[in-house]
Amino acid sequence: MVRWEERRGTAGGSGPAVLAPSASTMSPPKENVSLLFKLYCLTVMTLVAATYTVALRYTRTVETELYFSTTAVCITEVIKLFLSVGILAKETGSLARLITSLKENVFGSPTELLKLSVPSLVYALQNNMAFVALSNLDAAVYQVTYQLKIPCTALCTVLMLNRTLSKLQWFSVFMLCGGVTLVQWKPAQATKVQVEQNPWLGFGAIAVAVLCSGFAGVYFEKVLKSSDTSLWVRNIQLYLSGIVVTLVGVYMSDGAQVMEKGFFYGYTYYVWFVIFLASVGGIYTSVVVKYTDNIMKGFSAAAAIVLSTVASVILFGLKITVTFSLGALLVCISIYLHGLPRQDTTKIQTSETKSSKERLATV
């Protein structure tokens, strides 16, 4: 049985996840590909992660006519839906089989759509929180702090999927939390950003986003493992629910202003570029990630932090502090340690001999 893992288009994690087979547990074994191709995959993942965060930060602090973030999240869902339908069409092989699959698994399964509305709602909240966070925090600070999604996901995995973590993984979790604490102790300031910012609001938004990321990712994994339904069918169900949820969010949050100024108010080429990265990044990563391993993914996340920091210094005049540097280093090390080979988790354990509290206490 294949173990599926949450894959995001960016290390920043914005946008609903696309699940892909775990590089360490696929069967048959991973294809033997060249080191050059692996480096290509690593480079693309790193550039997407760093570029998305910096570009989104740019659109929220430099643009004169600020667009509605809720509409951007909604459009991202629509694009991902069309991309998933296209990939499912290629997977089924013909238009007739595609229509049959959609009728049976999507439109003919309202219960499954309702089930997927839970992560859709949580992901919608997470995506909007990313916009709030990057409106109030520098891209580099955001990139480091958002890695709190790792311990949050670890806890949700233990509590929801009855798994255990190694002592090294728990050590890396606490190290990561310590690194984030150092980064937030005296946040680095961007001297070229003129808009009013609230660092505490930004950090609060990240806190909500990482909680959403951990819960929704593990919930989606559990749903995916509960049946043999195609990955892309599940993604279509997720995005259909997501479109409805995000449209409601647009109406509730910015309804009056959207009616007055228009759905695409404030959109520029940079905004469309951000939407493109959020939409295509996750789909692309889910396809190529099987050729990499956890260690390479760790290096990718660490490199994205470094690139985001360099870009923030150049574009936003970020002033690097000692605490930020030390905290970022601890986060990069913890990501590497957390991705080291671990126990097989190809199946959700059903044993109830230990409660969740006992599993946490015995680590």
Side-chain angles (χ1 to χ4, degrees):
M1 182 175 180
V2 178
R3 176 165 67 94
W4 298 86
E5 291 185 348
E6 181 185 4
R7 304 296 182 204
R8 296 186 178 279
T10 66
S14 179
V18 178
L19 296 192
S22 168
S24 61
T25 59
M26 287 188 66
S27 180
K30 187 170 52 180
E31 295 179 34
N32 185 23
V33 296
S34 67
L35 177 61
L36 185 62
F37 184 75
K38 289 184 178 181
L39 290 176
Y40 161 76
C41 295
L42 177 66
T43 302
V44 171
M45 292 170 65
T46 302
L47 290 177
V48 168
T51 305
Y52 172 81
T53 305
V54 174
L56 198 160
R57 169 68 172 175
Y58 180 86
T59 62
R60 301 304 290 178
T61 57
V62 177
E63 299 292 319
T64 54
E65 296 182 345
L66 199 60
Y67 60 98
F68 303 114
S69 61
T70 52
T71 62
V73 172
C74 182
I75 294 173
T76 300
E77 296 292 286
V78 173
I79 295 175
K80 282 193 172 185
L81 173 64
F82 280 110
L83 290 174
S84 295
V85 171
I87 296 174
L88 181 62
K90 183 177 181 181
E91 188 179 83
T92 54
S94 71
L95 180 60
R97 284 196 288 268
L98 170 64
I99 295 174
T100 300
S101 178
L102 291 176
K103 285 182 178 179
E104 292 179 356
N105 300 304
V106 180
F107 302 110
S109 302
T111 303
E112 295 300 311
L113 281 174
L114 184 62
K115 187 187 298 183
L116 268 297
S117 66
V118 175
S120 296
L121 176 62
V122 178
Y123 278 136
L125 177 59
Q126 174 197 336
N127 297 337
N128 282 284
M129 288 299 101
F131 280 89
V132 174
L134 281 166
S135 298
N136 293 278
L137 293 174
D138 184 80
V141 176
Y142 170 88
Q143 192 77 269
V144 175
T145 308
Y146 194 77
Q147 300 310 314
L148 284 173
K149 66 183 179 181
I150 295 176
C152 183
T153 302
L155 286 173
C156 289
T157 299
V158 170
L159 298 174
M160 296 173 63
L161 300 184
N162 297 322
R163 292 178 185 162
T164 58
L165 301 179
S166 67
K167 292 181 179 180
L168 181 61
Q169 287 176 316
W170 281 115
F171 174 75
S172 69
V173 164
F174 288 113
M175 179 185 290
L176 188 146
C177 293
V180 171
T181 300
L182 285 176
V183 168
Q184 290 294 333
W185 188 258
K186 290 183 179 180
Q189 298 297 322
T191 59
K192 295 181 181 180
V193 176
Q194 304 299 326
V195 298
E196 184 178 353
Q197 299 178 99
N198 186 340
W200 285 107
L201 176 61
F203 182 73
I206 290 183
V208 174
V210 298
L211 290 173
C212 292
S213 174
F215 171 78
V218 176
Y219 181 97
F220 194 20
E221 179 182 354
K222 193 169 185 176
V223 170
L224 192 63
K225 286 186 175 182
S226 65
S227 69
D228 295 328
T229 305
S230 165
L231 164 66
W232 301 109
V233 168
R234 287 299 191 191
N235 280 331
I236 290 171
Q237 293 171 339
L238 180 70
Y239 299 143
L240 279 174
S241 301
I243 291 172
V244 175
V245 169
T246 52
L247 281 174
V248 172
V250 171
Y251 175 77
M252 294 180 63
S253 180
D254 303 306
Q257 294 186 48
V258 169
M259 291 296 293
E260 178 186 350
K261 299 180 179 180
F263 195 88
F264 299 102
Y265 173 79
Y267 274 54
T268 64
Y269 291 117
Y270 294 111
V271 176
W272 283 110
F273 181 58
V274 168
I275 294 174
F276 168 80
L277 289 175
S279 303
V280 179
I283 302 293
Y284 178 82
T285 304
S286 69
V287 175
V288 303
V289 77
K290 67 178 180 178
Y291 297 115
T292 67
D293 53 32
N294 282 328
I295 295 177
M296 291 188 73
K297 285 181 287 178
F299 278 121
S300 176
I305 290 174
V306 174
L307 290 178
S308 296
T309 302
V310 173
S312 294
V313 171
I314 297 173
L315 296 176
F316 309 119
L318 180 70
K319 298 295 182 181
I320 302 298
T321 63
V322 175
T323 54
F324 175 88
S325 301
L326 181 58
L329 178 62
L330 287 177
V331 168
C332 292
I333 294 174
S334 68
I335 293 173
Y336 169 77
L337 294 177
H338 194 82
L340 290 176
R342 52 190 174 185
Q343 70 177 63
D344 177 34
T345 55
T346 56
K347 296 181 180 180
I348 298 177
Q349 300 174 15
T350 57
S351 174
E352 297 182 356
T353 56
K354 289 185 178 182
S355 67
S356 298
K357 291 184 178 179
E358 288 174 331
R359 289 194 303 277
L360 290 171
T362 55
V363 175

